[in-house]
Amino acid sequence: MGTFSGKKMNKIDVAKQYIDTLINFKNLSDAQKASINQILSVYYEFTNQASKALEINKQLIRSNYSYTDLSSMLFKISNNYKALNKMDSALLYAEKAEDCKPDSDYYLNNLYYKNIGEISEQLMLWHISANAYKTAYTLQEKANFLKDEYGTGG
């Protein structure tokens, strides 16, 4: 544990102190600001402050910084809404994330469908849930096969 002004700090407090230090740097590029905000968002998610994480993640999407993986940011927003128990919004962003995923062969794509399945299950949208879980299972089996056969895929 670190110390700050003579008092003991836990690791979460130290992490927040580092983030605050980074935020206060001058002349940061848009990419650097976006990276720091992504770190801050993870901090808020880890400390169960989903509304603050959601605010940052939505701000990041609206910013001029272009993401190489917009789908992962939409996935994060979906999870923020889930944590806030706003399932309609969570499902909307989960489906947006799945729609714009960059690579249909990415070995973690099953997580997009699992997320849709979990949310739609809570909303009692059984047909959507069943289809999403089926796709998630199929993709997971494919990833397991690739891992076993070629040492890739997760």
Side-chain angles (χ1 to χ4, degrees):
M1 289 201 209
T3 59
F4 183 72
S5 299
K7 67 178 183 176
K8 286 193 170 204
M9 296 176 63
N10 66 34
K11 290 180 182 179
I12 294 173
D13 293 333
V14 171
K16 182 64 166 98
Q17 183 180 4
Y18 285 134
I19 294 168
D20 290 342
T21 300
L22 290 171
I23 289 170
N24 289 319
F25 282 147
K26 305 284 187 233
N27 302 319
L28 295 171
S29 70
D30 288 343
Q32 291 168 325
K33 289 175 188 175
S35 294
I36 293 168
N37 280 328
Q38 286 175 323
I39 294 167
L40 184 58
S41 166
V42 170
Y43 167 82
Y44 285 137
E45 289 166 356
F46 185 78
T47 57
N48 297 316
Q49 299 179 66
S51 60
K52 289 182 179 181
L54 175 62
E55 183 180 319
I56 289 170
N57 289 332
K58 289 179 89 174
Q59 176 187 9
L60 284 167
I61 285 196
R62 288 189 302 265
S63 72
N64 291 332
Y65 181 70
S66 68
Y67 287 94
T68 56
D69 189 3
L70 177 62
S71 63
S72 66
M73 184 58 70
L74 294 169
F75 186 88
K76 285 175 58 82
I77 290 173
S78 173
N79 283 333
N80 296 151
Y81 277 120
K82 272 188 355 185
L84 294 168
N85 203 29
K86 295 182 178 183
M87 294 303 159
D88 288 334
S89 296
L91 182 58
L92 174 69
Y93 279 91
E95 289 173 334
K96 284 182 179 184
E98 187 277 322
D99 285 342
C100 73
K101 65 187 182 307
D103 182 1
S104 61
D105 291 330
Y106 184 55
Y107 75 96
L108 292 177
N109 281 346
N110 65 304
L111 298 177
Y112 288 98
Y113 293 97
K114 182 177 178 265
N115 191 35
I116 292 170
E118 291 170 350
I119 296 166
S120 55
E121 181 180 357
Q122 290 184 31
L123 291 169
M124 294 186 264
L125 300 171
W126 308 122
H127 183 69
I128 295 171
S129 180
N131 286 338
Y133 279 132
K134 180 179 177 182
T135 303
Y137 177 78
T138 301
L139 290 171
Q140 182 62 53
E141 288 297 307
K142 180 180 176 183
N144 290 345
F145 172 78
L146 291 173
K147 182 179 179 183
D148 292 344
E149 291 295 312
Y150 305 106
T152 64

